[in-house]
Amino acid sequence: AAELATYLNKAMVVQDAPQWVQKFKGGSQFGCPKDGLVGGENHVLMRGQKEGEKLKGSRGWVENFPKGLERLIQHPDWLSRKCPIPCQDDFKYWDWENVRTKQQIPFSDPETGKKDWNFDLQEVKCKSSHGRDTNVLVVGGYELRKYFEQEIKEKMIHRVPSSPIDSAIDSANGQDDEDETNDNQDAYDWSIRLGASSAEATAFTDLDQEEDIWDFVSALMARSGVIRFQPWIARDVESFIKKASLPLNVDYDSIHVRRGDKLEPESKR
């Protein structure tokens, strides 16, 4: 989603299901740390909360504590551009959900008979509470992945040929030089939005191997902090590691932390 938003130069806004819609008591499928409980000890300051400020909440949960995906991941302001959920006067949660589901077109593969979905994604035009015209592309996880694969991925990795011979071959195949130039400019602008310097963006446009392009994008996203865990995640992982008595005098390539509700039944196998 972040790759798509930065490539299309759009703000990415996350809408989680409200508490009365979802089935998770704590407001998120990712559990609830002690910071989300009223009176929880050693809580981590939330964005905008001052040291010593009294936490207010209801039903035992801290009011406005991050829900849904944001319980796990910090959504950076530079990616959302500090935009709220758009057009809230005319579109509530179920209105946006209806827009999303109406874009789904069922189909069956003629060869295998396997049933799947295609998506006719169209931008919704509406007015914000300030009267500003807004275009909104409404996607969930599954249709986002489909849209990425079917419509955007090839544009992201297309580059101008690096040699006159390659250019002549592409010209013979009917590819338009002006379109190719635009593709390179799109790649340059995209990398700048991901935090690249001018020199890095130029180097990015010179890449012509798909694997190299995605490696470069991943490095830029990691440096820009697109995927950054909430502060209590690192604290609780550290606490778990200490309790598990894992040796810390050796190097680890990665540590895979499973959800507690998954670990409990698996530990009994």
Side-chain angles (χ1 to χ4, degrees):
E3 289 176 358
L4 191 66
T6 51
Y7 181 79
L8 297 176
N9 196 18
K10 288 182 175 292
M12 175 183 162
V13 181
V14 178
Q15 176 175 246
D16 282 309
Q19 184 65 49
W20 56 271
V21 172
Q22 57 178 278
K23 61 182 179 181
F24 305 105
K25 182 179 179 181
S28 173
Q29 62 270 49
F30 299 108
C32 186
K34 56 188 177 184
D35 312 85
L37 301 174
V38 174
E41 297 179 359
N42 302 320
H43 73 273
V44 177
L45 290 181
M46 294 167 56
R47 186 184 303 170
Q49 179 192 343
K50 299 178 182 178
E51 185 68 54
E53 181 180 357
K54 185 178 179 181
L55 295 174
K56 297 180 180 180
S58 58
R59 299 183 182 178
W61 307 106
V62 173
E63 189 176 7
N64 296 325
F65 192 72
K67 297 180 173 61
L69 181 62
E70 289 196 76
R71 181 71 54 83
L72 184 67
I73 301 290
Q74 294 185 41
H75 191 55
D77 288 341
W78 69 264
L79 191 55
S80 70
R81 303 180 186 177
K82 297 186 178 180
C83 294
I85 301 297
C87 309
Q88 296 184 42
D89 292 340
D90 299 318
F91 288 82
K92 307 303 181 186
Y93 172 78
W94 283 115
D95 297 313
W96 287 123
E97 183 67 2
N98 288 334
V99 170
R100 184 187 70 82
T101 56
K102 286 180 179 179
Q103 298 175 133
Q104 301 173 354
I105 304 173
F107 83 99
S108 297
D109 188 296
E111 296 183 358
T112 65
K114 182 180 178 180
K115 294 183 179 181
D116 203 344
W117 298 92
N118 278 333
F119 301 95
D120 180 24
L121 301 185
Q122 303 290 333
E123 289 189 345
V124 175
K125 298 183 183 296
C126 57
K127 285 189 179 294
S128 69
S129 56
H130 301 292
R132 177 184 175 186
D133 291 332
T134 306
N135 295 335
V136 186
L137 186 65
V138 186
V139 290
Y142 186 65
E143 54 263 34
L144 176 74
R145 192 171 290 111
K146 282 276 191 178
Y147 182 66
F148 173 82
E149 292 287 345
Q150 296 174 359
E151 302 290 338
I152 302 298
K153 182 179 177 180
E154 288 302 316
K155 296 178 182 179
M156 289 177 166
I157 62 177
H158 188 261
R159 297 290 186 273
V160 173
S162 57
S163 73
I165 294 178
D166 290 336
S167 182
I169 292 174
D170 280 346
S171 295
N173 290 334
Q175 294 189 10
D176 186 271
D177 289 340
E178 183 177 350
D179 289 341
E180 291 175 344
T181 302
N182 289 337
D183 284 339
N184 267 21
Q185 185 63 49
D186 288 344
Y188 182 94
D189 294 340
W190 180 30
S191 62
I192 291 292
R193 288 192 287 271
L194 285 172
S197 66
S198 178
E200 290 169 337
T202 300
F204 180 62
T205 62
D206 289 337
L207 299 177
D208 57 6
Q209 298 299 311
E210 181 175 347
E211 183 176 354
D212 294 338
I213 292 172
W214 293 126
D215 282 347
F216 205 108
V217 169
S218 296
L220 289 175
M221 293 181 71
R223 189 177 69 184
S224 299
V226 173
I227 305 299
R228 182 170 294 173
F229 288 118
Q230 293 284 13
W232 47 82
I233 301 297
R235 181 204 62 202
D236 291 348
V237 168
E238 180 183 9
S239 175
F240 178 81
I241 290 174
K242 288 180 178 179
K243 289 179 181 178
S245 300
L246 285 174
L248 301 179
N249 59 345
V250 296
D251 293 332
Y252 293 93
D253 292 326
S254 64
I255 296 177
H256 183 193
V257 181
R258 298 294 301 277
R259 280 169 30 194
D261 59 340
K262 294 289 186 181
L263 286 174
E264 186 174 356
E266 289 179 5
S267 66
K268 299 177 181 179
R269 293 178 181 175

